[in-house]
Amino acid sequence: MSAVSLVSALIQAAVGPDPADNVAKHVEAIKQAAFQGARIICLQELFNTQYFAARSISQPGPEPPPWAEPVPAGPTTRLMQDLARELGVVLMVPLAEAVPGGAHFNTAVVIDADGSISGKYRKMHVPHMEGFWERTYFQPGDLGYPVFRTAFATIGVLIDFDRHYPEVPRLLALQGAEVLYNPCTTVMDLSHYAWFIEQRSHAVANAVFVGTVNRVGQEPYSSGTYYGTSYFCDPSGEIIAQGSQDQDDIVVATLDLERIGEERRRWDFLRNRRGETYGLLAGSTTKKGEQKT
Amino acid sequence: MSAVSLVSALIQAAVGPDPADNVAKHVEAIKQAAFQGARIICLQELFNTQYFAARSISQPGPEPPPWAEPVPAGPTTRLMQDLARELGVVLMVPLAEAVPGGAHFNTAVVIDADGSISGKYRKMHVPHMEGFWERTYFQPGDLGYPVFRTAFATIGVLIDFDRHYPEVPRLLALQGAEVLYNPCTTVMDLSHYAWFIEQRSHAVANAVFVGTVNRVGQEPYSSGTYYGTSYFCDPSGEIIAQGSQDQDDIVVATLDLERIGEERRRWDFLRNRRGETYGLLAGSTTKKGEQKT
């Protein structure tokens, strides 16, 4: 049973070329968020590095990414475990994961409030398009859609491009997730038009809270301006806290988890699903002929 | 291959106690819409009757609904077939369908521009809640999620409560639907907060056009005010035409169907789905233990 009222935080930041500096900056922000009462804190996608995947495959660049490390055995996870234990907070830490054999995943590791590893999520939908050449670097995730029953709430994570798939929040909600965290790296000209539609629709459709994070600023290879505007919305899609569009920020909100039950008693969307009629959703990928071009 | 540019219309109206009057009013509106160039015209849910299902099971009331008729054999479908043929338009006509044995469905019949029947959709997700006691009257649909390859576009329909299920627009888009029509009956205090989130999110997630219709006014048994505000949005979720909140209206928009391909070339959401990992979506209904209360 989760606490009724949960204070949670999203951390958005501009990042520089030195991963160590970026980690130090985030450690400071995590401490500030905890000082403000946050019990679950989510960082932005690939939080400790500039977004190297904005670099096209045809441009010179690092391969494999120099910032990937094993998870949880690597130094960043270890440091975050110590921090979570010290502060008594749950941390969601998105970073590039290196696995034996040379593959990499775009991962988020979830650390419980005692410093133990709750588990990890590997981004399932990996983009490969102008400014987001992630398949040059990352394998598609192979761990499915786990939920994490942490000290303060049952949570799920979907990383960036995953938010374009309403299937993902539904899969997490069906397994009991109360809050969905969505660390992102996205630019104004590409996605801003949908930033207040997609994540809010996930909250409404599933009667869950959603916290979505985006970095700020410009970086050497980025195809535009990262627009921050991290926010929390409640199970009716209402935005309850929102960050700056161009500054580092810590977005803190109090999530009244009883709102989930209230919304579900009112609408009962999940109970009225007709899963037995959704078979086509779970087949293999779309046939070419169905792709409208 | 669909025409590139499609003019389409949504008709919203207040309705009175006499179905014949309501039909006559809609015939007039359909003619006006066709005169404005509309080639596909969608009416509101249960277009020819007051919303009888707002009446609680404990209140005295008609049982079975006196306005249900066979589809397509009944008089309303016949009349609409003649009208479609005369005007050369596709009509989506939502009405109460009576079937042999006494059952009823909340149906939309799709009539092609030559007056022939394209097919019908029977509302799959039937609400049963304060002000919307539809299971007193209607069986859940048993025809799945068909798409209709009409003279002017490939279209799908989802009726009212179906819009709360992102599964439905996805199932229709996967089968090639270019425009989704969503006839509704809904009141301000209940659903208005989500009216500009849900349907727009369906457009964005699937790169399709969405037209959503809602009646206007108050009726004897309704639990609130039907708020009209029918609208079309494009594949980026932008609203391109919107109707009145409290008056009869004909909402006409020109849908540039090439936008679908553009949006899909940009994002490619459908091709990057990972259907093989979505098995949980297609199981039977949510287990009781997963229902957060």
Side-chain angles (χ1 to χ4, degrees), chain A residues 24-43:
Chain A
K25 179 183 200 171
H26 277 85
V27 166
E28 200 48 48
I30 289 167
K31 287 179 179 173
Q32 287 188 32
F35 181 75
Q36 293 179 51
R39 306 330 281 156
I40 302 182
I41 300 169
C42 180
L43 310 185

Side-chain angles (χ1 to χ4, degrees), chain B residues 5-237:
Chain B
S5 197
L6 167 70
V7 181
S8 186
L10 312 170
I11 293 172
Q12 65 176 42
V15 295
D18 182 350
D21 289 349
N22 299 328
V23 171
K25 178 183 200 171
H26 277 85
V27 166
E28 199 49 48
I30 290 166
K31 288 179 178 173
Q32 287 189 30
F35 181 75
Q36 293 179 50
R39 303 336 277 156
I40 303 182
I41 300 169
C42 180
L43 311 185
Q44 65 202 15
E45 185 183 17
L46 300 166
F47 87 99
N48 55 342
T49 70
Q50 291 184 324
Y51 183 65
F52 48 82
R55 186 198 303 255
S56 157
I57 191 170
S58 63
Q59 295 174 271
E63 171 79 53
W67 311 286
E69 56 185 80
V71 174
T76 305
T77 305
R78 295 297 181 88
L79 179 148
M80 290 292 171
Q81 287 183 273
D82 291 343
L83 190 61
R85 189 183 306 112
E86 174 194 332
L87 300 172
V89 298
V90 172
L91 293 178
M92 312 198 75
V93 182
L95 76 177
E97 177 186 9
V99 295
H104 300 81
F105 292 99
N106 188 333
T107 294
V109 58
V110 180
I111 302 167
D112 212 342
D114 61 359
S116 65
I117 300 293
S118 278
K120 60 189 170 186
Y121 172 77
R122 290 169 168 167
K123 185 173 183 173
M124 293 292 283
H125 301 84
V126 178
H128 202 61
M129 52 190 285
E130 187 59 41
F132 298 85
W133 303 107
E134 290 195 23
R135 286 187 219 160
T136 305
Y137 301 92
F138 297 117
Q139 305 277 105
D142 58 356
L143 297 178
Y145 308 91
V147 297
F148 307 100
R149 299 179 197 283
T150 73
F152 305 116
T154 299
I155 61 181
V157 57
L158 55 162
I159 300 180
D160 195 68
F161 206 71
D162 291 321
R163 77 181 181 281
H164 304 308
Y165 296 82
E167 291 89 345
V168 179
R170 183 67 104 203
L171 288 161
L172 296 171
L174 284 175
Q175 298 175 83
E178 298 167 299
V179 189
L180 306 184
Y181 292 91
N182 175 221
C184 296
T185 308
T186 188
V187 294
M188 184 60 80
D189 290 345
L190 181 67
S191 69
H192 191 262
Y193 73 94
W195 185 252
F196 296 108
I197 299 175
E198 291 173 311
Q199 293 96 312
R200 294 168 70 207
S201 78
H202 302 331
V204 169
N206 299 291
V208 293
F209 287 87
V210 175
T212 186
V213 199
N214 186 23
R215 61 180 64 200
V216 294
Q218 290 195 308
E219 297 177 8
Y221 296 99
S222 60
S223 57
T225 302
Y226 301 115
Y227 56 81
T229 323
S230 306
Y231 69 83
F232 280 106
C233 66
D234 74 11
S236 65

Side-chain angles (χ1 to χ4, degrees), chain A residues 3-241:
Chain A
V4 167
S5 197
L6 167 69
V7 181
S8 185
L10 312 171
I11 293 172
Q12 65 177 42
V15 296
D18 183 348
D21 288 349
N22 300 327
V23 170
K25 179 183 200 171
H26 277 85
V27 166
E28 200 48 48
I30 289 167
K31 287 179 179 173
Q32 287 188 32
F35 181 75
Q36 293 179 51
R39 306 330 281 156
I40 302 182
I41 300 169
C42 180
L43 310 185
Q44 64 202 16
E45 185 183 18
L46 300 168
F47 86 100
N48 55 342
T49 70
Q50 292 184 323
Y51 183 64
F52 48 82
R55 186 196 304 256
S56 156
I57 191 170
S58 63
Q59 294 174 272
E63 170 78 53
W67 311 289
E69 54 184 83
V71 175
T76 306
T77 305
R78 294 298 180 89
L79 179 149
M80 290 292 172
Q81 286 184 273
D82 290 344
L83 191 60
R85 189 183 306 111
E86 174 194 332
L87 300 172
V89 298
V90 173
L91 293 178
M92 311 196 76
V93 182
L95 76 177
E97 177 186 9
V99 296
H104 299 82
F105 292 98
N106 188 333
T107 294
V109 58
V110 180
I111 303 168
D112 213 343
D114 61 0
S116 65
I117 301 293
S118 278
K120 61 188 169 188
Y121 173 77
R122 290 170 169 167
K123 186 173 183 172
M124 293 290 284
H125 301 85
V126 177
H128 202 61
M129 53 191 283
E130 186 58 42
F132 298 85
W133 303 107
E134 290 194 23
R135 286 187 220 159
T136 305
Y137 301 92
F138 297 118
Q139 305 276 105
D142 58 356
L143 298 178
Y145 308 91
V147 298
F148 305 100
R149 297 178 198 284
T150 73
F152 304 116
T154 300
I155 62 181
V157 57
L158 55 162
I159 299 180
D160 195 65
F161 206 71
D162 292 321
R163 77 181 182 282
H164 305 307
Y165 296 82
E167 291 89 345
V168 179
R170 182 68 103 205
L171 287 161
L172 296 172
L174 285 174
Q175 298 175 83
E178 298 166 299
V179 189
L180 305 184
Y181 291 91
N182 176 220
C184 295
T185 308
T186 189
V187 294
M188 183 61 79
D189 289 345
L190 181 68
S191 69
H192 191 260
Y193 73 95
W195 185 253
F196 297 108
I197 298 175
E198 292 173 311
Q199 294 96 312
R200 293 169 70 208
S201 79
H202 302 331
V204 169
N206 299 291
V208 293
F209 287 87
V210 175
T212 187
V213 198
N214 186 24
R215 62 180 64 199
V216 294
Q218 289 194 309
E219 296 178 9
Y221 296 100
S222 61
S223 58
T225 303
Y226 302 114
Y227 56 82
T229 322
S230 307
Y231 69 83
F232 280 106
C233 66
D234 73 12
S236 66
E238 190 178 343
I239 293 173
I240 54 176

Side-chain angles (χ1 to χ4, degrees), chain A residues 1-2 123-125 129 135 140-142 145 161 164-167 170-171 173-176 178 189-191 193-194 197-198 200-201 204-205 236-237 257 260-261 263-286 288 290-293, chain B residues 1-2 123-125 129 135 140-142 145 161 164-167 170-171 173-176 178 189-191 193-194 197-198 200-201 204-205 236-237 257 260-261 263-286 288 290-293:
Chain A
M1 190 62 182
S2 301
K123 186 173 183 172
M124 293 290 284
H125 301 85
M129 53 191 283
R135 286 187 220 159
D142 58 356
Y145 308 91
F161 206 71
H164 305 307
Y165 296 82
E167 291 89 345
R170 182 68 103 205
L171 287 161
L174 285 174
Q175 298 175 83
E178 298 166 299
D189 289 345
L190 181 68
S191 69
Y193 73 95
I197 298 175
E198 292 173 311
R200 293 169 70 208
S201 79
V204 169
S236 66
L257 299 182
I260 296 169
E263 206 65 33
R264 291 185 182 178
R265 280 188 291 277
R266 188 159 77 107
W267 279 116
D268 232 357
F269 291 157
L270 293 188
R271 190 148 54 198
N272 289 313
R273 290 179 78 248
R274 297 191 60 189
E276 77 283 4
T277 69
Y278 302 155
L280 184 63
L281 293 180
S284 60
T285 48
T286 308
K288 191 122 187 159
E290 293 169 348
Q291 184 76 10
K292 176 83 190 165
T293 54
Chain B
M1 191 63 184
S2 302
K123 185 173 183 173
M124 293 292 283
H125 301 84
M129 52 190 285
R135 286 187 219 160
D142 58 356
Y145 308 91
F161 206 71
H164 304 308
Y165 296 82
E167 291 89 345
R170 183 67 104 203
L171 288 161
L174 284 175
Q175 298 175 83
E178 298 167 299
D189 290 345
L190 181 67
S191 69
Y193 73 94
I197 299 175
E198 291 173 311
R200 294 168 70 207
S201 78
V204 169
S236 65
L257 299 182
I260 297 169
E263 206 64 34
R264 290 184 183 179
R265 280 189 292 278
R266 191 160 74 108
W267 280 115
D268 233 358
F269 292 158
L270 293 188
R271 190 148 53 197
N272 289 313
R273 291 178 76 246
R274 298 190 61 190
E276 77 283 5
T277 69
Y278 302 155
L280 184 62
L281 293 181
S284 60
T285 49
T286 309
K288 191 120 188 161
E290 293 169 349
Q291 185 76 12
K292 175 82 191 167
T293 55

